[in-house]
Amino acid sequence: MTYLLFAVYLVLFSWLITRVKFIQQSGLPNYWLIALFVLKVAAGVAYGWFYTTIPNYEQSADSWKFFFDAKNDTQLLYNDPLRYFTSIYDNPYDRDYRHLFSSVNSYWNDLKHTYMVKIVSLFNVFSGSRYYVNVIFYSFITFFGPIAFIRVMNDVFPDRKLLITCGTFLFPSFLFWSSGIHKDGLIFTYVSLLVFVVYFGMKKKELGIKEFLLVGLLLMLIFPVRNHVVLACIPGLFAWWLAEKYFKRKWIAFVGVTILGTTAFFSAKYIHPKLDLPISIVLRNKDFIKLGGNSFLPQRKLEPTFTGFVQNAPQALNHTLVRPYVTEFLSPLYLASALEILCIWILVSVWFFRFTDNPYRHSVVQFLFLVSMVLLLLTGYIVPQLGAIVRYRAIFFPFILVPIIATIAWKKNKLE
């Protein structure tokens, strides 16, 4: 029955993506859309299968934990729908909803798991609680993210559709980590839709109530999953708006907001002690250090001061943008990741000598770069496990690299 359902749903959704107007307006031929969707489903299946090769995967792999917990939640939906919807507010910490940025004993930290369990429990209604059939539903929802991003990039860089499409979908780590039933694919989708709404709203000078409501809704959807993404996006959106409205040299707005944001980050504690954001980063880093792990990266101790963060910045960026080295960690997966990051740096080097246009003159590209770099830097500060870093950073590769890919002179005669 599982194989039959999988085949039926795969055919159904492959047909459906060729009929959805939002997807059709990407300009991609139907056979491209179907091929990319099937590829995404295959990556999601591979993701789920990969974790079954790990001992006790039911407890150690988040994707499968979501699935097994969602089985009980689906039964709750059938038996007590009201309780199903109100259970999202359950708090085992004496009804205490503080500790917004804590990674332990926090309702907000637990909410990430609850959020994913609720989504999977709804998939179960239609799949009969079959993990690999759920992958098709998840792939369909998260297919809108890459399509939204492609539509924006196609508008910014005309006549580069093939490069943009391949650069968005085909980075191996992005394809793998964003296709599995986890938070990463949703975050990329929400942020891409956010960029889509703001970009075309500004271009058409139609940033009205509808657009603000959509932006607010998308930020609300992101917040329970990764609240720090919202904290990075809000000043980025403000800088984007300033750049388009007041600055001919758009980078000035982004530099100015970055300086103001950095000042606020380190100064908020003087307004109220609970707004000590640097100490919250340090505490999260300590929680990750306690986890240890086979891919643990030794770190310089992070001090909750401006000087401490500056001193740790090179190490943080090294962990997120350079590691793993080809010479470390003999696992085939780490070797593949090392080769990918090496190829990315070669690609950046080629762009530096063969670019046809400056992609960073576009405010949308500056927004994507600023938000991505802030979040990659935070990841480097907080997470000392290379395995986790490889997953967390993957969704930012298209944001940073597609504008570069789209502005490389791939043919020699373009330089002449």
Side-chain angles (χ1 to χ4, degrees):
M1 187 63 180
T2 298
Y3 294 109
L4 176 62
L5 272 178
F6 187 91
V8 169
Y9 277 124
L10 184 60
V11 171
L12 173 63
F13 281 103
S14 295
W15 169 82
L16 188 59
I17 62 171
T18 66
R19 295 294 180 268
V20 175
K21 185 176 179 181
F22 182 87
I23 297 175
Q24 280 187 318
Q25 289 176 341
S26 67
L28 298 176
N30 286 342
Y31 65 89
W32 279 26
L33 293 172
I34 293 172
L36 291 169
F37 178 71
V38 171
L39 180 64
K40 188 170 177 60
V41 171
V45 170
Y47 181 101
W49 172 83
F50 169 75
Y51 280 106
T52 64
T53 64
I54 298 174
N56 300 315
Y57 68 91
E58 299 94 333
Q59 288 80 38
S60 59
D62 286 343
S63 185
W64 283 95
K65 283 194 286 186
F66 299 149
F67 174 70
F68 290 115
D69 289 351
K71 281 187 171 184
N72 296 328
D73 232 36
T74 304
Q75 288 302 315
L76 181 62
L77 174 62
Y78 293 147
N79 299 327
D80 190 350
L82 180 61
R83 176 62 187 148
Y84 170 84
F85 288 105
T86 58
S87 63
I88 197 170
Y89 300 106
D90 287 356
N91 186 354
Y93 309 110
D94 297 324
R95 306 184 69 82
D96 189 344
Y97 291 90
R98 295 178 297 172
H99 309 300
L100 180 60
F101 302 109
S102 175
S103 59
V104 294
N105 299 327
S106 167
Y107 165 82
W108 301 103
N109 185 63
D110 295 350
L111 185 59
K112 295 181 288 187
H113 183 82
T114 305
Y115 186 102
M116 291 302 301
V117 168
K118 292 296 181 187
I119 291 174
V120 176
S121 68
L122 294 176
F123 292 164
N124 285 343
V125 173
F126 302 97
S127 71
S129 297
R130 293 172 171 86
Y131 179 95
Y132 292 108
V133 178
N134 288 347
V135 168
I136 298 175
F137 298 120
Y138 183 83
S139 297
F140 177 73
I141 292 172
T142 55
F143 196 71
F144 285 83
I147 292 298
F149 182 65
I150 286 169
R151 288 184 60 181
V152 172
M153 290 295 102
N154 282 342
D155 194 77
V156 177
F157 306 108
D159 305 319
R160 292 279 168 142
K161 187 185 299 180
L162 177 60
L163 289 172
I164 289 169
T165 301
C166 292
T168 301
F169 274 100
L170 300 184
F171 279 106
S173 60
F174 171 76
L175 178 64
F176 183 76
W177 295 112
S178 69
S179 298
I181 301 178
H182 213 300
K183 300 181 283 288
D184 306 277
L186 289 176
I187 294 299
F188 182 85
T189 296
Y190 295 150
V191 174
S192 295
L193 290 171
L194 179 72
V195 170
F196 178 90
V197 171
V198 175
Y199 174 79
F200 284 108
M202 285 186 177
K203 182 178 180 180
K204 298 175 183 177
K205 302 187 185 303
E206 295 178 354
L207 270 181
I209 295 177
K210 176 184 175 182
E211 285 72 25
F212 278 105
L213 288 175
L214 284 172
V215 167
L217 174 62
L218 289 165
L219 291 175
M220 287 175 60
L221 289 172
I222 295 170
F223 190 83
V225 188
R226 287 189 185 158
N227 49 38
H228 60 282
V229 174
V230 174
L231 296 181
C233 283
I234 289 176
L237 290 169
F238 179 59
W240 188 357
W241 176 77
L242 284 177
E244 287 294 320
K245 193 168 181 65
Y246 296 109
F247 291 91
K248 185 176 181 180
R249 296 181 177 178
K250 303 184 190 309
W251 62 268
I252 296 175
F254 287 90
V255 171
V257 169
T258 300
I259 293 172
L260 288 174
T262 302
T263 303
F265 178 81
F266 289 102
S267 304
K269 63 183 178 182
Y270 298 113
I271 299 174
H272 196 287
K274 291 184 179 179
L275 296 177
D276 192 340
L277 299 178
I279 197 66
S280 69
I281 300 297
V282 170
L283 292 175
R284 287 186 68 86
N285 173 244
K286 289 180 178 179
D287 291 334
F288 271 96
I289 289 174
K290 291 176 184 176
L291 295 175
N294 295 328
S295 62
F296 183 82
L297 296 172
Q299 284 185 314
R300 176 188 182 129
K301 184 179 179 182
L302 180 62
E303 299 292 341
T305 63
F306 177 76
T307 302
F309 274 72
V310 170
Q311 289 175 338
N312 277 46
Q315 175 185 260
L317 291 174
N318 172 267
H319 287 179
T320 54
L321 296 177
V322 182
R323 306 289 283 271
Y325 305 135
V326 176
T327 55
E328 66 183 343
F329 299 113
L330 299 179
S331 162
L333 284 177
Y334 286 116
L335 178 59
S337 182
L339 292 173
E340 181 186 44
I341 206 73
L342 178 62
C343 290
I344 285 172
W345 278 109
I346 292 173
L347 180 69
V348 172
S349 300
V350 169
W351 171 82
F352 186 79
F353 292 103
R354 294 177 60 85
F355 63 88
T356 59
D357 186 18
N358 175 18
Y360 299 101
R361 65 187 178 88
H362 302 283
S363 53
V364 61
V365 177
Q366 293 182 39
F367 168 80
L368 291 168
F369 183 81
L370 174 62
V371 170
S372 297
M373 291 306 298
V374 167
L375 294 172
L376 286 170
L377 189 58
L378 282 176
T379 300
Y381 282 135
I382 294 171
V383 184
Q385 288 85 10
L386 186 55
I389 289 173
V390 167
R391 177 167 70 86
Y392 293 156
R393 75 184 178 195
I395 63 171
F396 301 110
F397 284 161
F399 291 154
I400 296 174
L401 296 173
V402 165
I404 289 175
I405 292 170
T407 51
I408 291 178
W410 294 98
K411 293 182 180 179
K412 185 176 180 181
N413 60 11
K414 289 190 176 182
L415 295 177
E416 297 174 350

